[in-house]
């Protein structure tokens, strides 16, 4: 049985004060979350604060990006060893905002994925199509290409210690959620693609949905057989809303 994972992706939001309050609110209600795993992915500069507030709690933490390089002359970049230093459990790689706004291609995402895994942290690999691609009927082709880059570089076994997040780009931050059926279709496609190479890895793989998931639509999305949690942007900035999603996940 797969254990759902609900992860907050705070993006470039928050301050010392707002984060202290947000985490306080999450910790107050986390006892009512029964089975789902819960994590928050914070901006780098707040990882120290987040780790201090969450240590010993059931809430894990992680980062939203990482360098593909080990260390050295890469001004402004953050290495996996630095994230390890703050006991990060998760690192998001290949978020669509990184792909579209910062030019990250499949090969770069695969390199970041490899670094995170080699450092013993869990990569959350984001895949998903744009509206244009969905309308052109190439959703599966795009998602398959994004996944294949990681499979080619790392092999299917790598997905045994990774999470995949299916995030249709047209649903991110737009308030337009994929319908449960639309999301399930792509999740089943992803699991099937992995199963063709390794049935056990496919069965154990946590595949999150992301894109305007919120308290009011989480339950129906999470009821789908291949949706194992969520990667939550906007709704993760509000403790009550985030907890509602976590509870819906189990
Ligand atoms: P959203 O973002 O929940 O605000 O749509 C999700 C994401 O980008 O991970």
């Amino acid at each position: 049985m797969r254990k759902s994972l609900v992860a907050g992706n705070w993006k470039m939001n928050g301050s010392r004060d707002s984060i202290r309050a947000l985490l306080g609110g999450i910790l107050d209600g986390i006892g009512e979350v029964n089975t789902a795993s819960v994590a928050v992915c914070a901006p780098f500069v707040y990882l120290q604060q987040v780790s201090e507030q969450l240590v010993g709690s059931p809430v894990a933490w992680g980062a939203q990006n990482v360098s593909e390089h080990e260390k050295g002359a890469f001004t402004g970049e953050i290495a996996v060893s630095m994230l390890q230093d703050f006991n990060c459990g998760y690192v998001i790689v290949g978020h669509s905002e990184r792909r579209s706004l910062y030019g990250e291609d499949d090969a770069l995402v695969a390199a970041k994925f490899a670094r995170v895994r080699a450092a013993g942290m869990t990569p959350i690999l984001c895949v998903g199509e744009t509206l244009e691609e969905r309308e052109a009927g190439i959703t599966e082709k795009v998602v398959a290409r994004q996944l294949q880059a990681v499979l080619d570089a790392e092999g299917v076994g790598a997905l045994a210690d990774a999470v995949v997040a299916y995030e249709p780009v047209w649903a991110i931050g737009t308030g337009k959620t994929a319908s449960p059926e639309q999301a399930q279709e792509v999740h089943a496609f992803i699991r099937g693609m992995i199963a063709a190479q390794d049935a056990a890895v496919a069965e154990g793989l946590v595949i999150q949905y992301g894109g305007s998931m919120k308290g009011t639509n989480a339950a129906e999305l999470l009821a789908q057989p291949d949706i194992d949690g969520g990667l939550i942007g906007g709704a993760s900035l509000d403790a009550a809303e985030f907890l509602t999603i976590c509870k819906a996940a189990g």
Side-chain angles (χ1 to χ4, degrees), residues 7-9 11 92 95-97 126 165 167 171-176 209-214 231-236:
N9 172 12
K11 308 193 181 185
I92 299 172
H95 189 278
S96 72
E97 286 149 19
C126 299
E167 300 204 304
I172 295 176
T174 57
K176 253 192 245 167
Y209 168 79
S212 300
M213 194 190 266
K214 45 185 186 273
L231 184 57
I232 318 299
S236 73

Side-chain angles (χ1 to χ4, degrees), residues 192-227:
M193 182 174 159
I194 306 303
Q197 293 191 30
D198 190 317
V201 169
E203 188 52 36
L205 179 66
V206 169
I207 308 177
Q208 300 176 307
Y209 168 79
S212 300
M213 194 190 266
K214 45 185 186 273
T216 48
N217 61 26
E220 54 174 9
L221 285 158
L222 293 166
Q224 299 297 314
D226 288 297
I227 300 184

